[in-house]
Amino acid sequence: MSALSFPPPRRRSRDVGEGITSPTLGVGGRIGLTVLALFGLLPVYWLVATAFMRREDVFSVDRPYFPMDPTLANFREFFDNSTLLKDLGNSLVVSAGTAVVSVLVSGLTAYSLSKFRYRGRNMIMVMFLVGQLVPGALLLVTLYLMFNSAGLLYTYTAVILAFTTFTLPLSVFLLKGIIDALPDEILEAAKVDGLSNLAILFRIVCPLIVPGLITTAMFAFMRAWSDLLFALTLAGPDKQTLTVGMTTAFIHDGAADWPGLMAASVITSLPLAVIFVVLQRYFVSGLAAGAVKG
Amino acid sequence: MSVTTEPTPARTISPSAPVRRRRGTLGARDRTFGFMLAAPAVALFLVVAVYPLVAGFGTSLYDQSLIWPGRKFVGFGNYADVWPDFLARLGTTLEFSVLATVCPLLIGVAVAVLLNARLRGRNLLRGVLMLPWLLPGVVVSFLWAWIFNDSYGVINHVLTQLHLPQVNVLGQPSTAMAAVVVAKTWNSFPWVMVVVLAVLQTLPREQLEAAALDGASRRQRFRHVSLPHLIGPVALISMLEFIYNFGSFDMIFVMTGGGPGTSTMTLAVTLYQYAFTDFDLGKAAAMGVLWLGVLSLVCGGYFLLNKKLES
């Protein structure tokens, strides 16, 4: 490089160009960030480390901070436990079901709210906005009685319906934002070409918003996967999900099998971590949409 | 509620009416079709969310158990029974919601401001710091219960190594709430971080540069240029977090079950216990109605503030 490309003197770089929008960190800042990062990451380390530790080590006096003899026994025990395996299956069914139903229902709704004007449209939006703020516990008693008298208590259907209701507001607003960005001209041109309303929806709109649909599905999946309250009350022992199973499987007489519990925690968290890696670039906009519209 | 959301599409398709086309409209004739698309969501929401809110009031007037069939009308008797409990739990719930909103906010903003700096590995760090937010509440609860465990927890282990006395964090009324708040803070600071970082990275660069040219120090630039942009989003997420925390269930249920004593007993956990431990549905419903009253006030305040911030 030429002699002209010397870096500018250090002090000045703070106050020009990039130094203004993203300044450099002083010593205090670096220490602060390190402490905060440790607060964020050390517990995750401890979760994973414990999952790989031998039980003798975890409960010994000179317990190591690092799994010296890493073992897969805790994970193996999880997969040997038929109840937990069934819970894992239930979690998959219920979360995938919630994802599919959420995408279908919220996709149609988002298209409707975005591209059609009819009386009651604003009421529907307000209902979703307010509904997003209602805590699940508040609906518990009636939902239980309702599903009970409908014969749906302790079925996948009940749990999926409850989950979907709670994923709807975020899903609808997320997809509505995406469909709003589609130019009306495309739809009008399709209409002039004689396509039916349904054909426009499935052959024109759908393919254009596939990334949004996938994001929505994954958000819904995560929400259902993580829930405890509805799974605890509406799913019953037979259809209970992994989050519920964890709360009972590892605790006997008040003492918990911590390494086993941490291994189960790793297994429970893994799908969400994978989804996050896939979705990373949609996350901020999705979260922001949820925050601003919610 | 259901009456007002019902549209009257019959009027809009009358052929003699002039079809006025607006942007974003596919024409008046399609309005019925448009509404039909939203109908499943509306129906689901009315049945699974709106109706339970209203029907809870009916249940609250009866003495009704989860294990006995039949029910007995008791008027407002349930309300008289739960009122003292409700007031006490409301206090605990407020304590939790305020702490569990403020702490993640402070830490989230701090991390975002620091991560906004020029830094090697910044994007990686930001990605990795999302982990606590990703974990299901149940996992977060167990993880912190394990860290705080009185006999084998890592904190007590370190304390022992340093020859300091051990603490039973979750077992004492004075510290149990703090423990849950720490777990909740750990769980939700990443999302404050992400939102604030997004705002910081879209600040109008010209304003910052102009301020720098005028000789404003870094602190002054933050105070007078960045902060005004941050206040809106931060206020919004604080209110949202507060409302979520007000109804949050899983962490307290798993970590303390509301105890020791009633030191962490929030409304959500109380309602669950009334209904599914004591099997007293009438009382649980009465508690729910009172709770809904408070929530309406909070939501009303939220929307007023939201409007004010938007204008």
Side-chain angles (χ1 to χ4, degrees):
Chain A
M1 285 288 205
S2 77
L4 283 174
S5 65
F6 277 125
R10 225 161 178 247
R11 262 218 64 77
R12 284 201 54 210
S13 73
R14 278 191 187 182
D15 292 331
V16 284
E18 235 187 292
I20 289 176
T21 37
S22 44
T24 47
L25 269 188
V27 178
R30 276 173 190 278
I31 294 175
L33 184 58
T34 310
V35 171
L36 291 172
L38 285 178
F39 170 68
L41 296 178
L42 271 184
V44 179
Y45 165 76
W46 197 233
L47 167 71
V48 179
T50 312
F52 284 102
M53 275 184 203
R54 294 185 310 155
R55 198 162 283 116
E56 308 87 275
D57 289 342
V58 169
F59 295 114
S60 73
V61 186
D62 53 343
R63 189 242 323 269
Y65 294 109
F66 181 81
M68 295 301 187
D69 313 295
T71 170
L72 288 175
N74 302 315
F75 294 93
R76 216 175 291 130
E77 277 163 32
F78 178 95
F79 289 105
D80 284 341
N81 184 325
S82 59
T83 313
L84 284 173
L85 269 190
K86 200 171 80 183
D87 296 345
L88 179 65
N90 287 339
S91 274
L92 284 171
V93 171
V94 162
S95 307
T98 305
V100 171
V101 179
S102 291
V103 165
L104 275 176
V105 175
S106 64
L108 296 177
T109 310
Y111 180 52
S112 159
L113 293 177
S114 174
K115 297 296 182 193
F116 295 87
R117 297 289 178 276
Y118 46 83
R119 282 183 62 180
R121 179 178 161 278
N122 283 327
M123 272 304 295
I124 295 176
M125 293 215 272
V126 170
M127 184 172 76
F128 284 140
L129 280 177
V130 178
Q132 203 174 9
L133 304 174
V134 175
L138 211 43
L139 315 176
L140 214 53
V141 172
T142 313
L143 277 184
Y144 186 91
L145 292 171
M146 219 169 72
F147 283 129
N148 192 19
S149 55
L152 286 174
L153 200 60
Y154 303 160
T155 63
Y156 288 138
T157 315
V159 189
I160 292 175
L161 283 181
F163 285 162
T164 304
T165 310
F166 271 75
T167 59
L168 267 184
L170 178 64
S171 309
V172 167
F173 288 118
L174 199 100
L175 285 174
K176 181 174 176 293
I178 293 168
I179 299 176
D180 280 345
L182 294 181
D184 290 344
E185 285 75 25
I186 300 182
L187 309 182
E188 277 157 16
K191 210 165 171 53
V192 172
D193 286 349
L195 254 66
S196 74
N197 275 323
L198 279 176
I200 294 176
L201 173 55
F202 286 106
R203 287 176 39 201
I204 313 277
V205 178
C206 250
L208 288 172
I209 59 167
V210 165
L213 295 175
I214 295 175
T215 313
T216 310
M218 288 183 157
F219 269 122
F221 186 96
M222 293 174 89
R223 186 100 187 233
W225 188 269
S226 304
D227 174 87
L228 176 68
L229 185 62
F230 286 139
L232 194 64
T233 49
L234 304 177
D238 196 46
K239 301 287 189 286
Q240 72 179 19
T241 58
L242 201 45
T243 50
V244 181
M246 276 176 66
T247 59
T248 49
F250 297 96
I251 297 161
H252 308 286
D253 307 323
D257 169 18
W258 291 107
L261 198 44
M262 291 302 116
S265 294
V266 170
I267 294 168
T268 309
S269 309
L270 222 49
L272 306 186
V274 171
I275 290 177
F276 174 71
V277 171
V278 176
L279 280 194
Q280 210 171 4
R281 66 201 174 99
Y282 298 109
F283 250 84
V284 176
S285 54
L287 284 177
V292 175
K293 310 255 170 71
Chain B
M1 188 126 186
S2 65
V3 180
T4 37
T5 50
E6 219 66 63
T8 48
R11 278 178 52 158
T12 53
I13 18 174
S14 103
S16 57
V19 180
R20 218 199 282 146
R21 297 188 58 125
R22 278 180 293 166
R23 264 192 84 74
T25 316
L26 284 177
R29 207 171 312 171
D30 299 311
R31 287 178 191 174
T32 318
F33 176 76
F35 173 74
M36 289 315 289
L37 294 174
V42 173
L44 189 63
F45 219 73
L46 288 177
V47 174
V48 183
V50 177
Y51 169 75
L53 283 183
V54 182
F57 184 72
T59 312
S60 74
L61 301 176
Y62 288 88
D63 184 5
Q64 186 172 359
S65 164
L66 201 59
I67 36 182
W68 313 113
R71 56 185 196 172
K72 203 176 90 204
F73 185 78
V74 291
F76 288 94
N78 285 322
Y79 289 90
D81 285 348
V82 300
W83 181 250
D85 255 12
F86 174 75
L87 283 183
R89 305 298 180 260
L90 185 63
T92 315
T93 311
L94 280 173
E95 187 190 350
F96 173 74
S97 326
V98 170
L99 288 173
T101 305
V102 172
C103 296
L105 198 71
L106 293 177
I107 292 190
V109 171
V111 178
V113 169
L114 291 171
L115 267 189
N116 189 41
R118 209 149 15 125
L119 204 70
R120 212 178 301 151
R122 177 175 81 177
N123 288 338
L124 180 71
L125 195 54
R126 184 182 53 188
V128 177
L129 279 179
M130 283 300 284
L131 268 172
W133 181 79
L134 280 177
L135 305 186
V138 176
V139 168
V140 175
S141 313
F142 277 127
L143 174 56
W144 281 94
W146 170 222
I147 291 173
F148 285 133
N149 184 271
D150 57 331
S151 349
Y152 305 104
V154 66
I155 287 182
N156 276 322
H157 190 71
V158 173
L159 288 177
T160 315
Q161 307 258 305
L162 297 172
H163 302 288
L164 291 168
Q166 299 208 337
V167 280
N168 185 1
V169 185
L170 285 169
Q172 286 168 350
S174 52
T175 49
M177 177 64 89
V180 184
V181 169
V182 168
K184 183 73 199 175
T185 301
W186 185 77
N187 184 216
S188 49
F189 87 84
W191 106 274
V192 180
M193 169 190 87
V194 164
V195 175
V196 173
L197 203 52
V199 177
L200 284 177
Q201 293 188 339
T202 50
L203 285 182
R205 203 175 162 146
E206 308 77 43
Q207 280 185 29
L208 285 167
E209 279 171 350
L213 280 178
D214 289 345
S217 71
R218 226 161 110 182
R219 181 162 303 166
Q220 284 170 326
R221 286 203 300 267
F222 183 77
R223 166 80 184 72
H224 296 287
V225 183
S226 309
L227 209 55
H229 286 278
L230 279 175
I231 281 181
V234 164
L236 214 56
I237 50 179
S238 323
M239 281 185 278
L240 279 177
E241 273 291 290
F242 180 83
I243 292 172
Y244 286 145
N245 286 332
F246 205 79
S248 94
F249 171 80
D250 51 2
M251 286 212 175
I252 291 177
F253 181 76
V254 174
M255 284 184 79
T256 66
T262 55
S263 56
T264 57
M265 193 72 94
T266 57
L267 287 171
V269 181
T270 312
L271 207 150
Y272 176 86
Q273 286 213 332
Y274 273 159
F276 295 96
T277 311
D278 306 340
F279 306 119
D280 196 334
L281 294 183
K283 267 182 162 184
M287 187 70 115
V289 172
L290 292 172
W291 180 1
L292 186 61
V294 174
L295 195 75
S296 315
L297 290 179
V298 176
C299 285
Y302 163 74
F303 276 107
L304 279 183
L305 266 166
N306 203 2
K307 255 210 179 109
K308 223 174 167 185
L309 282 170
E310 270 171 10
S311 60

